[in-house]
Structure formats: C-alpha cells, structure tokens
Amino acid sequence: MSETKTIDLNDLSKHVNETVLIQGWVHGIRGSNARQFLSLRSSGKIIQVLAEKEILGEELFSEIKHLKQEASLEVIGKLVENEKSPIGFELILSSYKKIGESENYPITPKEHGIDFLLSQRHLWLRSSKQLAIIKIRSELSYHIRKYFHENKFTLIDTPILTGSIGESAGTLFSTEYFDLGKAYLAQTGQLYLETAIFAHSKVYCYGPTFRAEKSKTRRHLTEFWMVEAESAYVSHAENIKLQEDFVKTVIRETVASCQAELKVLERDPAPLMEYISKPFALIDYKDALAHLQSQGEDIVWGDDINSEREQMLCQKYGGPVFIQKYPREAKAFYMKVNPEDPKTVLNADLIAPDGVGEIIGGSEREESYETITKRLEEEKLPVESYEWYLELRKYGSVPHSGFGLGTERLVAWICGLQHVRECIPFPRMMERLYP
C-alpha cells in the first residue's frame, strides 16, 4: 500500500483518474447487496467511496458492509469526478486496510440532546455540521489576521495573567500568584495593547479572554476569543469607520471561502451579504432610549440596552447599528468623556441583527493623566496597580482609539446559529468545564 501515493482531501483536483491512497475515518455507510457507499472523513472533509461487490469480491465486500462508524481506514482506489458529490469527487475502491477499531460509537445518526452532545464534545466535533462550523471559524480567524496584516497593524501578544483589572472587578477569575498576591485571568488585552501604540502606532492582539460573569444566556461564554485593535492619532469617528470596514471585509471574505460549509449548515448567506452591502446605522444612546420608550419599553437614562431591545433597534434600522455615546457612569474608566456632553463618553457598540447582539465594543481612550486618575479613584480601583498604564499619559500622550470583537458571536452570525456554545471547540460556561 505504501507504493501508492497518499493524498489529502484538499488536493483532490490534482489527482483525477489516478489510483491513490486516502487515510481517514468511517463517517457513515449505506447501500445494497451489490454496492456500498462509504463516507470517509479526512482533513475536515467527507468523500464518498464506492465499494462494488463485482470489483472487490464477496469476502472483501462483506467486510466493507460490516465496518463500524468511526473505524479508521486506509483506502486505495481510482479517484474520479462526480458532480453529485458535495466535494465533486469520489473514490472507486479497490482495496482497504483497517487501522483502528470502533465499537459502540456513542453519537449515532439519531437525535441527541444538547447536554449529551456537549459532554461528548471531543467526539461531536467529528459530526458534519460541527466540521463546517469549525472550518468557518478557522477561515474567519485567518481573514481577521489577514485584514490587520494588510492594513499594517502589528500583532502584540498580550498577557493572560495580569494584576490589573480591565473591565469590572466583579467578573474576574483570580488565582494566587506565588508571593505577589492575587493574579487575574485577563478580561481584555486592551490596557497592554495601548502601551504598544507608542512604539508601533497601529496594533492588535488576538487570543482568549475570560469573564466570571454569572450569565447563562445564549450569547455568553466564560472563555472566548477576542480580537482587539488600538490606533494612535485616531478619533472616535475614525475608529467607527475602521470597525465597519473590518467587519464587512472579514464577513465577505469568510463567506466567499466557505460556500460548501454554509451549504452543510443550510445557511443562506444572502441576507447577511445584504446587511453588509449598506452603511451601518449610527445612533446616539439617547436616541436609542427615545425610540425604545416610544415602543412602550420601561427604560431610563443609564439603563443597559438588553438583547431584546438591541434587536428592536436593529429592526428599526434594518440591519446592524452602532449605538454611541453611552452614559459616562455606565462605562469603563478608560473611555474618553464626550467634550460636547460630559454626561457621555466617546464609545460605540456594534449591534448585529438576527438575535446576535453586540459584536464590537470600542471607544476613544482618555489621554489625560489627571482625568484618568480621577476616574480610577471614582471606580475605587487601586491607582498604584495602574501606575504603568498611567505613565503612558505622562510620556508623549496622544489621542487614540480601539475596539474589541468577540469571535464566537461573529461565527454565530455567519453560520446562522442561535447559541455561541457551538462556535468554539470546547465551550466553557457556568455549568460546564468538561471535557
């Protein structure tokens, strides 16, 4: 078998009408007494393998019929084009070798409950829809990095363990850190990212972040991946333009490269592409409040705009909407106060329709040493822990802005999924730490 060329399912077009060897796993099997159609999974794809009794003989054909789901194989045969195949090719089997047995595989073609599937996540990842979701996530991650690379942003790998609080002290995971007291799992890389704009002007980070928020909604995870960007000499208005271009670009390129995966998910990308073909709406928090109140919502200045209210605003504006200039007291200490209305800050959240909700939070950052020190004191945060951050405002401070986008929510929007738990290989939620 070793003399036959081993190929990858990503390279099928290079080997049409050749006899090849493919290594993979039995995804499924069906057929008759004369022909069996074996679905073989490899490289995140599934190829149909045609086994014919006339070619293989009675004994080998009988063995094929009794192969178990997820047995691992090496198959040899002629690769041919097949328009009916999801990937355009099939293999006409001439011989095979079993590599690993599989008995009583727990995930069968029947319906399973979500708790069972999440407990079997290590195996559920092999299923067709999960293959598609993870492939889309991979492509999206590539296009995110590509966007920043092409726009001359420098990648900065920010720490996961930190002594500083980036968001709210109530949503931190803490751990003892040798003799130095408590360390925290980072809620954001932003504070560290800001340090790098003074060296590289335009920077980004991309990695896991953690929120000990006791939330069980379909939009929340305790561990998720966030891409964050910071830019020197960039205003709040310019920051919003960058965010819109970024989101539209990575969605457009991911959809273009994942047509087959979207088809598996039965996700029609047309409505999504319609959304990104138009300018995103931009409204002030006070105007969002006025509209919601006009619709009978019991909401007052300073209240959070919850998920249901976010979707009401998306419906009004026919797609994604930036909500800007939130109340100062409701937002983080580092956001710049709006000089035209000191009750608000120069920030914006990008709200996606279809139940997805907020996918980006961004703002212009406060560049004044005195102002940001006062804000830390108001928030009752330990000023001494932020001395390194405050020093940025002492040595050549400049206006600057940034934003953060949660990968899983954007994956959910692209895939048309109702819950972010399927948008990451191993979801971490309040009630789930296994596997």
Side-chain angles (χ1 to χ4, degrees):
M1 295 183 82
S2 59
E3 295 177 1
T4 305
K5 186 169 186 179
T6 303
I7 67 166
D8 188 290
L9 293 195
N10 292 301
D11 299 324
L12 296 179
S13 61
K14 301 175 184 176
H15 302 284
V16 179
N17 295 323
E18 293 180 12
T19 296
V20 297
L21 183 150
I22 298 174
Q23 299 165 323
W25 294 263
V26 177
H27 196 77
I29 190 165
R30 60 183 174 82
S32 64
N33 288 328
R35 310 174 102 199
Q36 288 289 313
F37 297 93
L38 182 70
S39 296
L40 194 73
R41 187 187 65 254
S42 182
S43 307
K45 291 181 167 60
I46 297 169
I47 187 170
Q48 179 173 284
V49 178
L50 174 59
E52 296 186 283
K53 184 191 287 188
E54 189 176 333
I55 295 175
L56 298 172
E58 184 74 43
E59 185 179 345
L60 193 57
F61 184 76
S62 178
E63 288 178 14
I64 293 288
K65 281 178 66 175
H66 292 93
L67 284 172
K68 300 292 178 58
Q69 185 181 355
E70 293 305 322
S72 51
L73 308 176
E74 289 183 346
V75 298
I76 291 179
K78 184 177 181 182
L79 183 68
V80 297
E81 291 182 295
N82 183 341
E83 292 179 2
K84 294 181 180 179
S85 166
I87 60 174
F89 304 91
E90 74 173 358
L91 189 82
I92 310 300
L93 186 68
S94 57
S95 65
Y96 86 101
K97 177 182 177 183
K98 188 186 294 184
I99 305 300
E101 297 283 356
S102 176
E103 292 289 339
N104 302 315
Y105 185 69
I107 301 178
T108 61
K110 71 177 186 179
E111 287 292 321
H112 295 284
I114 188 64
D115 285 339
F116 171 82
L117 290 171
L118 286 171
S119 294
Q120 299 289 332
R121 188 61 172 162
H122 52 297
L123 303 177
W124 190 27
L125 288 171
R126 306 178 185 189
S127 301
S128 298
K129 288 191 174 181
Q130 302 309 311
L131 291 174
I133 294 166
I134 297 304
K135 176 65 174 178
I136 289 169
R137 179 190 173 100
S138 175
E139 285 294 301
L140 174 63
S141 296
Y142 165 72
H143 289 299
I144 284 171
R145 296 178 189 277
K146 177 171 171 268
Y147 179 89
F148 286 115
H149 181 77
E150 290 182 348
N151 285 275
K152 311 304 180 187
F153 280 72
T154 300
L155 174 65
I156 304 295
D157 295 318
T158 58
I160 287 173
L161 285 171
T162 174
S164 303
I165 298 167
E167 296 289 338
S168 165
T171 61
L172 286 162
F173 287 107
S174 64
T175 183
E176 293 301 319
Y177 195 77
F178 304 108
D179 297 327
L180 298 180
K182 285 194 180 300
Y184 306 99
L185 293 181
Q187 300 162 315
T188 172
Q190 179 208 315
L191 304 188
Y192 294 97
L193 205 56
E194 282 186 64
T195 69
I197 64 169
F198 297 87
H200 299 282
S201 297
K202 298 195 299 183
V203 296
Y204 79 103
C205 64
Y206 194 13
T209 52
F210 306 85
R211 302 284 167 89
E213 199 173 349
K214 292 187 175 179
S215 176
K216 293 184 179 181
T217 78
R218 59 194 179 90
R219 305 188 308 169
H220 285 87
L221 296 166
T222 57
E223 177 185 333
F224 60 98
W225 278 62
M226 186 155 63
V227 57
E228 298 176 272
E230 293 287 326
S231 305
Y233 297 102
V234 167
S235 68
H236 169 60
E238 291 168 329
N239 190 35
I240 288 176
K241 288 180 182 177
L242 173 64
Q243 292 169 56
E244 182 167 345
D245 182 64
F246 166 62
V247 169
K248 288 179 174 179
T249 300
V250 298
I251 289 176
R252 189 182 304 113
E253 294 190 349
T254 301
V255 167
S257 61
C258 294
Q259 291 294 305
E261 288 75 20
L262 292 167
K263 190 173 181 180
V264 169
L265 297 173
E266 299 178 345
R267 168 61 159 160
D268 178 7
L272 181 60
M273 302 309 288
E274 176 66 19
Y275 286 141
I276 67 170
S277 69
K278 301 176 291 189
F280 292 168
L282 174 62
I283 62 170
D284 288 358
Y285 172 87
K286 64 181 180 181
D287 297 323
L289 215 62
H291 172 69
L292 293 169
Q293 290 168 344
S294 75
Q295 300 300 302
E297 290 292 301
D298 183 17
I299 184 170
V300 297
W301 180 266
D303 284 355
D304 186 35
I305 300 176
N306 64 24
S307 57
E308 292 79 11
R309 291 164 176 167
E310 288 174 345
Q311 293 311 301
M312 290 172 68
L313 293 165
C314 287
Q315 288 170 7
K316 173 176 170 57
Y317 293 98
V321 54
F322 281 105
I323 306 173
Q324 67 170 353
K325 300 176 181 175
Y326 279 71
R328 175 174 172 267
E329 65 270 17
K331 289 298 177 181
F333 68 88
Y334 50 75
M335 294 186 180
K336 186 174 178 64
V337 173
N338 180 5
E340 296 177 2
D341 180 8
K343 299 198 309 295
T344 66
V345 290
L346 295 177
N347 83 305
D349 291 342
L350 177 59
I351 312 301
D354 305 329
V356 175
E358 180 192 336
I359 55 173
I360 284 183
S363 75
E364 187 168 340
R365 316 309 193 186
E366 179 54 64
E367 75 264 24
S368 163
Y369 181 92
E370 292 75 18
T371 302
I372 206 163
T373 301
K374 186 177 178 183
R375 288 286 285 125
L376 284 166
E377 291 168 347
E378 288 173 356
E379 294 286 326
K380 295 183 171 51
L381 292 170
V383 175
E384 63 278 6
S385 294
Y386 294 88
E387 192 55 43
W388 63 272
Y389 182 69
L390 291 169
E391 285 188 351
L392 303 178
R393 274 73 183 166
K394 290 170 65 176
Y395 306 119
S397 188
V398 298
H400 61 288
S401 301
F403 65 88
L405 173 142
T407 299
E408 288 73 23
R409 290 189 187 178
L410 189 51
V411 172
W413 192 22
I414 293 171
C415 294
L417 300 173
Q418 295 301 304
H419 203 298
V420 294
R421 64 192 166 203
E422 292 183 58
C423 300
I424 189 168
F426 293 95
R428 297 292 178 245
M429 298 175 283
M430 270 185 67
E431 71 285 2
R432 182 160 297 280
L433 195 58
Y434 177 90

